[in-house]
Amino acid sequence: MLSVQDIHSYYGDSHVLHGVSLTVAKGELVAILGRNGMGKTTLIRALIGFTPPREGRVVFKDRDVTSLPPFRAVEMGMGLVPQGRRIFPSLSVLENLKVAGNAKARWNLDRVFSLFPRLAARKAHAGDNLSGGEQQMLAIGRALMTNPDLLLLDEPTEGLAPMVVREVAKTLEGLRREGLSILLVEQSVPFATRIADRVHVLSRGRIVHSCSAAELLANEEVKSRHLGLGS
Amino acid sequence: MNLAHGSYFLLGGYVGLTTAARTKSFALALLSGSLAVALIGLGMERFFLRRLTRQSLPQVLLTMGFALVFQDLALLVWGGDPYNIAVPAFLAQSVQAGPVFVNFYRLFIIGVAFAVGVVLWLFLERTRAGASIRATVDDAEMAQGVGINVPLLSAGVFALGAFLAALGGVVGAGFIGVYPGLDFEVLPYAFVVVIIGGLGSFHGVVVGSLVVGLLDNFGKALFPELSYFTLFAPMALILALKPTGLFGKR
């Protein structure tokens, strides 16, 4: 589905990603864990094409998408749930979903509303007039409206109450069961290890550890050294 | 930031003028003037302005250059004399209502402005393309992130802006005429409207244009010696009190 090959990303002169490689297979849920400032958001921005990597390749569905404009990557089936949700504030909930929709309607408004009934109740609300949890659901719903085969999520639990986090986890598990591939970038180890098949630990722009979710939970050394979780 | 917007108004007027002289049709003048300038706008966006996204100062310099080139080209093609487009006979008459004479063409201008405003509003607020435009104004990067073809959309919006400026130019050519220097006469009005109303706000443009139109005309009639002052003083005041304009968010 997705193959990232040795990408290097920069912000201006600052070298943020130092040769990151990873793969996501069809129907797999892969999590990238790391603390703040380790390059997680940069990685997502490189994949979708907001900040194309200066070296290396991003191959999606056997096609090189490294320097494709972001809207083309989305058309090909990359869905993005960005950091901070980035709901369009001038648009209603309904419009936020509609602008993302396309003709190949595998996902449509009815399906999104049955997944998130709370959005249906608020469809006339302005996008900036929602709680954090509702905004996160809208951001996920909006990404689904683009009919993705691979969903990229950047810190979906940021700033959410524990109950809402559990709801997001259930939603993502449900989507994965339907065959969606998911690449998740997170700080929260419990959240990521609960739903992911495999995890990579990102530190200072490099992947320093790769293992299954269960193995990471048992590995105190990696957790304390790279994720700031002392035991 | 497009300093050639006044040039679109001027060129629309001139192209309309030539069409009206050749075909004797005011409707064709409106259509040809607007469409020709929309094409010019499309070319400018595609080959020049697209490279300067979010770089205000280079945009100002480039479009100022275009404005000067258009000014000289117009002088070369249409000469230095002022012209008026012949308007259809039924619009040229006046009717007396009590103590005042009402010119039909003035009513026609108000009608066109109103119709354009309503159609634009419906387009922006009620269609999916309109929602995509508002999403792009909110967050252009994220608009791409949900699959909106932002480069294509930007080109379309830019061409629509040129189309409307030129439409104004043809309509205006039947009233204030078309002549060298008109481009830089109308440009400040457009800027003051946007600054008062606020960037990126449709309501702002509606309110801003009413405020500017009324202030300018009553100002010129009541205090002719102050003329530009009645236009720019309110703008300075609004900039001081609310730098984003009445309805702007940025």
Side-chain angles (χ1 to χ4, degrees):
Chain A
M1 179 62 62
L2 178 76
S3 160
V4 179
Q5 298 162 7
D6 194 29
I7 58 170
H8 292 255
S9 271
Y10 297 75
Y11 277 133
D13 286 333
S14 125
H15 196 166
V16 183
L17 293 182
H18 302 258
V20 170
S21 301
L22 59 94
T23 59
V24 181
K26 184 164 171 21
E28 197 180 24
L29 204 165
V30 176
I32 314 284
L33 279 162
R35 284 179 299 204
N36 263 339
M38 293 302 161
K40 301 193 303 295
T41 293
T42 307
L43 175 62
I44 293 286
R45 292 181 61 88
L47 300 184
I48 194 77
F50 285 169
T51 316
R54 227 182 269 179
E55 288 165 53
R57 297 200 320 150
V58 179
V59 177
F60 177 53
K61 292 184 181 172
D62 301 324
R63 209 179 128 191
D64 189 334
V65 298
T66 316
S67 50
L68 223 53
F71 72 93
R72 293 277 179 230
V74 174
E75 274 175 4
M76 281 185 62
M78 261 193 212
L80 174 66
V81 180
Q83 186 176 37
R85 292 121 200 176
R86 292 171 78 170
I87 299 304
F88 302 116
S90 314
L91 274 59
S92 68
V93 168
L94 191 62
E95 287 172 329
N96 263 285
L97 294 171
K98 273 186 173 169
V99 292
N102 64 31
K104 294 175 290 178
R106 185 152 40 84
W107 277 91
N108 54 33
L109 288 171
D110 289 342
R111 259 189 93 186
V112 170
F113 284 148
S114 67
L115 187 65
F116 300 117
R118 268 158 80 188
L119 292 182
R122 292 178 196 276
K123 63 182 171 190
H125 281 229
D128 54 356
N129 189 12
L130 297 174
S131 72
E134 288 162 350
Q135 283 192 22
Q136 191 61 58
M137 290 169 198
L138 180 54
I140 295 174
R142 185 178 62 177
L144 290 174
M145 286 293 285
T146 66
N147 285 310
D149 298 305
L150 169 72
L151 199 57
L152 306 172
L153 295 114
D154 194 346
E155 299 213 21
T157 65
E158 192 187 20
L160 297 185
M163 229 172 73
V164 187
V165 170
R166 278 197 290 277
E167 207 174 325
V168 171
K170 265 191 206 128
T171 304
L172 295 182
E173 283 168 336
L175 291 171
R176 199 261 307 263
R177 267 196 300 277
E178 290 180 27
L180 197 64
S181 311
I182 297 176
L183 180 67
L184 171 77
V185 148
E186 256 302 336
Q187 287 201 58
S188 161
V189 176
F191 175 79
T193 47
R194 170 179 162 181
I195 61 175
D197 301 308
R198 290 188 293 125
V199 294
H200 298 287
V201 178
L202 191 66
S203 181
R204 297 200 192 93
R206 290 187 175 86
I207 288 180
V208 293
H209 192 78
S210 303
C211 59
S212 74
E215 279 163 6
L216 181 78
L217 277 178
N219 192 331
E220 297 299 336
E221 197 245 330
V222 168
K223 278 199 291 185
S224 67
R225 227 173 103 197
H226 298 294
L227 301 169
L229 297 173
S231 52
Chain B
M1 194 79 80
N2 180 10
L3 292 186
H5 213 64
S7 316
Y8 295 164
F9 187 92
L10 179 81
L11 291 176
Y14 274 129
V15 173
L17 181 81
T18 301
T19 310
R22 296 261 167 85
T23 65
K24 307 287 175 226
S25 161
F26 186 63
L28 278 181
L30 286 174
L31 201 66
S32 62
S34 314
L35 285 179
V37 173
L39 280 180
I40 293 174
L42 207 58
M44 267 178 71
E45 199 279 341
R46 177 67 188 82
F47 297 109
F48 296 92
L49 287 166
R50 181 168 294 185
R51 297 148 200 259
L52 301 178
T53 312
R54 280 189 287 267
Q55 303 176 47
S56 302
L57 286 178
Q59 284 172 10
V60 166
L61 286 176
L62 180 72
T63 55
M64 182 68 199
F66 268 106
L68 295 174
V69 170
F70 288 142
Q71 187 181 43
D72 269 12
L73 280 178
L75 194 64
L76 196 71
V77 176
W78 285 281
D81 296 331
Y83 295 100
N84 265 63
I85 285 190
V87 304
F90 72 95
L91 286 177
Q93 42 190 331
S94 295
V95 63
Q96 193 174 1
V100 293
F101 282 92
V102 180
N103 179 309
F104 274 10
Y105 196 71
R106 289 181 183 233
L107 295 178
F108 170 72
I109 293 179
I110 294 173
V112 169
F114 187 75
V116 167
V118 169
V119 168
L120 263 188
W121 184 82
L122 286 174
F123 171 63
L124 281 173
E125 296 294 326
R126 294 291 143 86
T127 68
R128 194 179 150 210
S132 300
I133 292 171
R134 283 181 288 134
T136 304
V137 172
D138 278 349
D139 185 343
E141 188 179 78
M142 194 54 219
Q144 288 224 33
V146 299
I148 295 171
N149 187 338
V150 172
L152 184 69
L153 191 74
S154 304
V157 169
F158 194 86
L160 178 65
F163 179 94
L164 291 174
L167 183 71
V170 186
V171 172
F175 180 57
I176 54 174
V178 50
Y179 49 87
L182 177 66
D183 42 358
F184 287 104
E185 251 173 65
V186 296
L187 188 64
Y189 289 104
F191 275 114
V192 176
V193 164
V194 172
I195 290 170
I196 289 183
L199 271 175
S201 161
F202 182 76
H203 302 100
V205 169
V206 173
V207 173
S209 56
L210 283 174
V211 168
V212 167
L214 292 173
L215 274 179
D216 188 50
N217 278 289
F218 278 103
K220 275 181 182 151
L222 299 174
F223 324 100
E225 63 278 9
L226 294 178
S227 90
Y228 263 133
F229 185 76
T230 52
L231 187 61
F232 287 110
M235 180 186 97
L237 195 68
I238 283 175
L239 275 182
L241 296 176
K242 198 166 180 304
T244 53
L246 291 176
F247 295 91
K249 287 167 198 155
R250 293 173 296 167

